[in-house]
Amino acid sequence: MQINILEWLEASAQKYPDKPALSDINSEITFSETMAEAKAIGSFLAGRINPGNPVVVLAGRRARTLVGFLGVAYAGCYYVPLDPESPADRLNTILARLDCPVILTEAKYVPFAQKLDFLGAIVTMEEALQARPDMNRLDCIRAQATDLDPLYVIFTSGSTGAPKGVVTTHRSMFTFITGLVEATGIDHTDVIGSQAPLDYVGVVKDFYTGLYVGAEVFIIPKACFTVSENLFDILNERRVTSIAWTVTALVLPTMQGIFDECPPPRYLRRVCFTGSVMPCKYLRIWQQHLPCVRFINLYGPTEVTACCSYYVVDRLVSDDDSLPIGVPFRNYRMFVLKDDNTEADVGELGELCVGGPGVAQGYYKDPELSSKHFVQNPLHNAYRDIIYRTGDLCIRRPDGNFEYHGRRDRQVKLHGYRIELDEVEESAKALQAVDDCCCLYDADNEQLCLFYSGSATSRDIIVRLRKKLPAYMVPRRVIRLGRLPLMHNMKIDMQKLKEMMVTGKIA
């Protein structure tokens, strides 16, 4: 019976002691080294903090930051990853919510950490790595562990509001990773190319899969996704076989013509994508250049431990195709609720709900918000059965696959008509000369506003939308940007777009 995620590390260290577990552009750490260093950090922290407390890990995007996460787990605590490049105001908001006793950081970030609104201890990774592992203490901590202990708290990016901390347990991680591996077929022969920021939930797909199956996780330099000429070179150099990136991370290099300029990745066997709807005009380009690669659409929010469903793309898509989000991973339950809290029939639209041990424990120190989204299953009251209401509108198809139909909170009413903003976006994205877009509702002026990037003119877009959509769904304002603003997790920054829409100032 698995209790603690560290069991995966220890099993892989025993089976593959000299194999690289974690690597970045400057370093490589074997499984045995990862375990030894994590035990040293855990022993260092255990002498300064009691089990069951949060530990902020404020460190850069490199392999040893992940070792720090494991060190926190050895101390019987849960880690809270924060990016030292984030605005200080955001970090202070999170620190105030946490009331955390310790920040674990790198020596170079100590001056920055000291300027934050934090009264606890600031310790460095470099100092912690010098500690001698105290196995008696670590064994005593492990003996008290349960699989419902928190593993981490990840704060969402706050694209539409204040960041909220999602509490994920060891049990939830067991559920997610075993389901993911079963669905995708990743194994110890893979080299996983990690794109996600280390304070973003996307990284857990890579990191914990590597620990579980004994695969190497290589952290791809961030610069490769902003200036993409070197992206394929580094995938080939590191012999990367499996990637699970955000849709934006796949689309941006494609928009920049990477396949026209660079030889495609030679070692890729598997390409997973998640985070938003994949425009099939870009997926088709990947498929045409990598015909032997398996493409998998993953779906799921942070609140269900990153992902809960998958769809294996079994055909060459057309530009206007729309992919389903697929079927649940094993040990996840998905169903659709109507507005009256009864289950929707096949083909009937409603809110997607997720149950099972992969569902998070709720939002950190926010019982009011937790009670809105993590609720008793309304289909029965026989026993405690907490589900997560995703806020995503879906239908279940006759073949068992689920289809995504936008967000409840992106459904607006304009002049008496109910409009799905996502539907407007998908119609615009199907135009070849539109690279990306985002549709917002301007309530003050009672009109839709579409921001887009690409070579299309606003007239091109309006003409297309008038052919595809009812007149009331065609945006009154169509604004071209050089590039849509992105958050550090590569999702569209809607807050910035809303500011542009209100002020009229285009950044």
Side-chain angles (χ1 to χ4, degrees):
M1 179 181 179
Q2 293 176 324
I3 298 293
N4 192 289
I5 213 74
L6 295 170
E7 295 169 35
W8 285 352
L9 168 63
E10 291 157 359
S12 290
Q14 183 175 21
K15 197 170 184 179
Y16 311 108
D18 301 321
K19 181 181 178 182
L22 304 167
S23 59
D24 55 41
I25 201 70
N26 297 312
S27 62
E28 183 177 280
I29 314 171
T30 67
F31 277 101
S32 60
E33 290 168 340
T34 298
M35 183 174 68
E37 291 187 5
K39 286 179 177 179
I41 294 171
S43 299
F44 178 86
L45 292 173
R48 290 157 176 80
I49 185 173
N50 292 325
N53 274 292
V55 174
V56 164
V57 180
L58 183 74
R61 194 165 178 274
R62 63 194 196 104
R64 276 196 169 75
T65 300
L66 300 175
V67 178
F69 296 168
L70 297 171
V72 173
Y74 268 114
C77 298
Y78 51 96
Y79 66 89
V80 184
L82 296 182
D83 184 352
E85 295 184 10
S86 295
D89 286 349
R90 181 178 188 274
L91 297 181
N92 285 331
T93 299
I94 294 171
L95 289 170
R97 171 63 60 90
L98 282 171
D99 190 23
C100 172
V102 173
I103 288 179
L104 176 65
T105 189
E106 299 174 62
K108 66 179 180 180
Y109 294 122
V110 168
F112 174 73
Q114 290 172 336
K115 294 178 182 178
L116 296 173
D117 298 337
F118 179 70
L119 300 177
I122 299 172
V123 299
T124 69
M125 202 91 70
E126 291 86 347
E127 182 183 7
L129 285 168
Q130 299 304 311
R132 176 174 295 180
D134 184 343
M135 293 311 303
N136 287 333
R137 185 190 290 267
L138 298 186
D139 288 344
C140 288
I141 290 171
R142 183 78 68 83
Q144 298 299 313
T146 78
D147 64 357
L148 284 177
D149 291 339
L151 173 61
Y152 60 73
V153 175
I154 285 182
F155 280 81
T156 60
S157 300
S159 64
T160 56
K164 52 187 183 289
V166 179
V167 183
T168 299
T169 65
H170 291 257
R171 179 187 292 182
S172 291
M173 189 57 65
F174 289 142
T175 302
F176 167 54
I177 294 297
T178 53
L180 176 69
V181 169
E182 182 180 274
T184 60
I186 298 175
D187 63 26
H188 70 279
T189 66
D190 278 296
V191 176
I192 300 169
S194 184
Q195 164 263 325
L198 301 192
D199 64 333
Y200 176 55
V201 71
V203 77
V204 306
K205 292 192 297 293
D206 307 323
F207 179 35
Y208 290 105
T209 296
L211 291 187
Y212 177 48
V213 302
E216 178 184 353
V217 177
F218 169 66
I219 300 173
I220 302 169
K222 182 179 178 180
C224 288
F225 295 96
T226 51
V227 182
S228 60
E229 299 95 65
N230 299 326
L231 179 58
F232 285 179
D233 287 341
I234 203 160
L235 293 183
N236 284 327
E237 178 186 326
R238 306 303 295 233
R239 296 176 177 259
V240 170
T241 63
S242 183
I243 58 176
W245 296 351
T246 63
V247 165
T248 307
L250 288 168
V251 165
L252 279 179
T254 316
M255 286 165 39
Q256 295 168 1
I258 191 170
F259 282 106
D260 298 327
E261 300 172 2
C262 307
R266 294 193 299 273
Y267 302 96
L268 272 184
R269 304 197 291 252
R270 184 185 304 100
V271 173
C272 304
F273 45 91
T274 185
S276 56
V277 176
M278 168 61 82
C280 284
K281 63 184 180 183
Y282 296 119
L283 175 59
R284 182 181 175 87
I285 294 172
W286 278 81
Q287 288 181 305
Q288 289 173 327
H289 285 87
L290 298 167
C292 297
V293 168
R294 193 179 190 214
F295 292 89
I296 304 172
N297 187 20
L298 300 176
Y299 162 84
T302 306
E303 289 84 349
V304 299
T305 322
C307 294
C308 58
S309 72
Y310 70 103
Y311 176 77
V312 178
V313 184
D314 57 0
R315 67 192 185 282
L316 181 65
V317 298
S318 63
D319 289 356
D320 291 329
D321 268 348
S322 179
L323 299 176
I325 60 174
V327 296
F329 292 139
R330 182 170 56 87
N331 215 13
Y332 278 89
R333 182 171 65 253
M334 291 167 52
F335 56 96
V336 177
L337 284 181
K338 296 188 291 186
D339 288 342
D340 62 0
N341 278 341
T342 59
E343 188 168 7
D345 293 330
V346 171
E348 196 171 10
L349 188 68
E351 182 180 9
L352 182 65
C353 298
V354 183
V359 173
Q361 296 295 290
Y363 299 116
Y364 192 84
K365 291 187 179 179
D366 199 337
E368 182 178 352
L369 186 62
S370 296
S371 66
K372 291 180 181 178
H373 298 280
F374 298 87
V375 302
Q376 170 66 29
N377 186 343
L379 300 180
H380 74 90
N381 61 4
Y383 52 87
R384 180 176 168 84
D385 181 14
I386 300 301
I387 62 168
Y388 175 65
R389 302 192 70 138
T390 67
D392 290 334
L393 296 170
C394 288
I395 64 169
R396 179 167 56 89
R397 302 194 323 193
D399 62 4
N401 284 293
F402 288 80
E403 284 183 4
Y404 174 80
H405 286 268
R407 292 279 305 165
R408 286 182 74 102
D409 54 14
R410 301 208 74 221
Q411 188 181 83
V412 301
K413 206 163 188 180
L414 178 62
H415 306 312
Y417 295 102
R418 196 173 298 278
I419 298 172
E420 300 286 351
L421 298 180
D422 289 346
E423 185 179 353
V424 179
E425 292 171 0
E426 291 310 304
S427 296
K429 286 178 184 176
L431 191 64
Q432 277 293 338
V434 172
D435 293 336
D436 204 357
C437 66
C438 180
C439 187
L440 300 176
Y441 175 54
D442 182 353
D444 292 338
N445 297 296
E446 293 191 324
Q447 63 183 6
L448 300 183
C449 179
L450 182 76
F451 292 92
Y452 77 99
S453 62
S455 61
T457 65
S458 58
R459 186 178 185 281
D460 292 335
I461 295 173
I462 290 171
V463 168
R464 174 182 172 80
L465 294 184
R466 282 177 177 167
K467 291 179 180 178
K468 293 286 185 179
L469 300 173
Y472 63 83
M473 292 182 69
V474 178
R476 293 282 299 278
R477 295 173 65 195
V478 178
I479 300 170
R480 180 180 175 183
L481 302 176
R483 178 181 290 186
L484 297 188
L486 300 178
M487 300 181 294
H488 84 300
N489 62 11
M490 302 193 80
K491 290 187 177 182
I492 292 174
D493 192 333
M494 292 188 186
Q495 288 293 95
K496 283 191 178 179
L497 290 179
K498 287 176 182 176
E499 291 170 8
M500 293 182 199
M501 181 177 70
V502 171
T503 64
K505 295 179 180 179
I506 306 302

